[in-house]
Amino acid sequence: MPSTTPTPLTITRHNKYYIPTADTIFQVENYLFRAHSYFFYRESEHFRQLLSHPTTPGGRDAPGTTDSNPIVLNDIDAASFACFLWVFYNPKHSIYSDATVEHWSRILDLANKWGFAEVRSLAVRELEQLPMGPVEKIEFYQKYSLDPNFLVDAFAALTLRDDSISFDEGKKIGLQTTIQIAKAREVSRGQELSDGSRSPSPVKVRGNDLESLIHHVFGLPRLQTQGTGAQGPLTAPVLSDPMNRLSGLGGGHAHRSAHA
């Protein structure tokens, strides 16, 4: 009978992220990575605990100090860990334009898993520069529990387009979001009639009024610029009344105010 004994993994040093001057060795799958513990201590409580080695009895090397006794990271794959290390060792000095949505998805997974808040923020900033369809973007941002204020444009695009949400799209973005988009589409297209229904018509709400409608339907706080500088994409939202321009939507009498 053929042997059922599993073939042992051949452990090899990663060809890019086994850095000779670094001080900590990790094993992910069958690869050894050598990286600087500073980056992990600096931001992650998970790694601060993991890398705080007690005195090793019997003179044995502390975990992470030799190839024969690495810190083993389970439940992740080597390709994702390489993507994560790239954030710290990017040779383009903080220019990340080569990364794709899939690349940042891997990074976000590990940033969430290990509590790297700054890496998570970097990923969001870079994702905002990448082209994504509205359904893809909503699905992605919901998966990682990212700030829904970044989805205003995606919600607006689905509100304005001629086609309603398909069954497959609804499965991707969830029932609640599908219902909210349906409501926004209804309000944006017709004036309320005496029986409470809305007459079918082309979209009547645009610009600032559309933005106010989206914030209202999705329960989002209004983002306002403080002072004279432009607001960055990760600035905390400032609450204001999302109903301040909704009076008369669809009837052509919406109140207008300066857009922050």
Side-chain angles (χ1 to χ4, degrees), residues 145-180:
S145 301
L146 302 181
D147 187 348
N149 279 288
F150 293 116
L151 295 175
V152 171
D153 288 346
F155 293 147
L158 296 178
T159 299
L160 292 175
R161 78 177 191 183
D162 292 337
D163 295 333
S164 58
I165 300 297
S166 69
F167 177 76
D168 288 340
E169 289 173 334
K171 288 174 62 178
K172 291 179 179 179
I173 64 179
L175 178 61
Q176 178 177 335
T177 301
T178 299
I179 293 173
Q180 289 170 316

Side-chain angles (χ1 to χ4, degrees), residues 186-193 198-199 201-206 209 245-256:
E186 176 189 355
V187 173
S188 69
R189 280 167 169 74
Q191 184 174 5
E192 189 170 314
L193 303 177
R198 291 183 182 272
S199 59
S201 68
V203 174
K204 293 184 177 181
V205 180
R206 301 279 182 176
D209 287 336
R245 291 196 300 269
L246 287 178
S247 176
L249 278 179
H253 301 291
H255 300 297
R256 300 192 179 273

Side-chain angles (χ1 to χ4, degrees), residues 121-236:
S121 296
L122 169 66
V124 174
R125 287 197 297 270
E126 294 301 318
L127 282 166
E128 283 297 295
Q129 311 303 316
L130 297 178
M132 298 175 70
V135 172
E136 177 191 12
K137 185 171 183 178
I138 293 169
E139 181 184 22
F140 188 95
Y141 277 51
Q142 287 178 340
K143 176 181 177 181
Y144 293 105
S145 301
L146 302 181
D147 187 348
N149 279 288
F150 293 116
L151 295 175
V152 171
D153 288 346
F155 293 147
L158 296 178
T159 299
L160 292 175
R161 78 177 191 183
D162 292 337
D163 295 333
S164 58
I165 300 297
S166 69
F167 177 76
D168 288 340
E169 289 173 334
K171 288 174 62 178
K172 291 179 179 179
I173 64 179
L175 178 61
Q176 178 177 335
T177 301
T178 299
I179 293 173
Q180 289 170 316
I181 290 173
K183 178 64 175 177
R185 290 173 59 84
E186 176 189 355
V187 173
S188 69
R189 280 167 169 74
Q191 184 174 5
E192 189 170 314
L193 303 177
S194 58
D195 62 358
S197 63
R198 291 183 182 272
S199 59
S201 68
V203 174
K204 293 184 177 181
V205 180
R206 301 279 182 176
N208 291 342
D209 287 336
L210 175 61
E211 188 175 341
S212 287
L213 171 62
I214 295 298
H215 279 84
H216 172 59
V217 170
F218 288 88
L220 303 176
R222 298 286 293 165
L223 293 176
Q224 295 182 341
T225 302
Q226 304 240 1
T228 57
Q231 184 175 13
L234 292 179
T235 303

Side-chain angles (χ1 to χ4, degrees), residues 53 71 143 238:
H53 307 303
I71 295 173
K143 176 181 177 181
V238 178

Side-chain angles (χ1 to χ4, degrees), residues 53-54 56-70:
H53 307 303
T56 305
R60 187 167 182 264
D61 295 323
T65 57
T66 65
D67 285 7
S68 60
N69 191 24

